[in-house]
């Protein structure tokens, strides 16, 4: 595999979980998050998304280093670090709101929705940024 092909493959590895999350997460906007199975499913989707972005980011960064793209690899490694470090923070906030909802807090579903929308927006920003650097990754060195 040529270095350019490896770099493009690394970008595709990153785009897959981000694209899936972008397509799957808006469906949760159409349902109430005070329904326990829906909220648990949303939590699971975020958990898997953070984990998959961690793994995809690490694999992508390694592939980009091998492909001779150290600066892009550093950016992708940063994305992986954000996913690794952000997962416990985000999941704790989500768990807090789920417990509050189960305890009868009427505002918890709204806070869950806010977390959901903020997570979608963060993913969208990262997805746009990743797509914006594809031409620089695909360009011959």
């Amino acid at each position: 595999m040529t270095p350019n092909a490896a770099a493009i493959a690394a970008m595709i590895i990153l785009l897959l979980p981000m694209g899936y999350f972008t397509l799957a997460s808006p469906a949760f906007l159409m349902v109430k998050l005070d329904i326990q199975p829906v909220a648990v499913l949303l939590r699971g989707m975020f958990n898997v998304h953070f984990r998959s972005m961690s793994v995809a980011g690490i694999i992508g960064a390694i592939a980009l280093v091998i492909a001779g793209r150290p600066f892009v690899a550093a950016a992708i490694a940063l994305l992986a670090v954000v996913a690794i470090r952000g997962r416990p923070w985000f999941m704790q906030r989500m768990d807090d709101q789920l417990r509050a909802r189960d305890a009868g807090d009427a505002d918890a579903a709204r806070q869950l929705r806010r977390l959901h929308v903020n997570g979608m927006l963060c993913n969208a920003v990262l997805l746009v940024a990743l797509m914006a650097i594809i031409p620089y990754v695909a360009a011959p060195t």
Side-chain angles (χ1 to χ4, degrees), residues 114-130:
R114 182 175 288 152
L115 280 169
H116 173 220
V117 170
N118 286 337
M120 286 176 34
L121 289 174
C122 288
N123 183 67
V125 167
L126 291 173
L127 182 60
V128 168
L130 191 64

Side-chain angles (χ1 to χ4, degrees), residues 9-30:
M11 298 306 283
I12 291 170
I13 288 168
L14 285 163
L15 287 172
L16 287 174
M18 294 176 90
Y20 172 77
F21 185 81
T22 300
L23 295 174
S25 59
F28 287 93
L29 294 172
M30 297 180 228

Side-chain angles (χ1 to χ4, degrees), residues 23-48:
L23 295 174
S25 59
F28 287 93
L29 294 172
M30 297 180 228
V31 294
K32 290 184 172 191
L33 294 180
D34 54 356
I35 302 169
Q36 202 259 348
V38 171
V40 169
L41 185 61
L42 178 66
R43 184 199 183 282
M45 185 180 70
F46 271 102
N47 188 34
V48 168

Side-chain angles (χ1 to χ4, degrees), residues 13-14 49-62 80 83-84:
I13 288 168
L14 285 163
H49 177 65
F50 276 106
R51 289 182 187 270
S52 64
M53 285 307 298
S54 301
V55 171
I58 291 168
I59 292 170
I62 291 169
I84 291 166

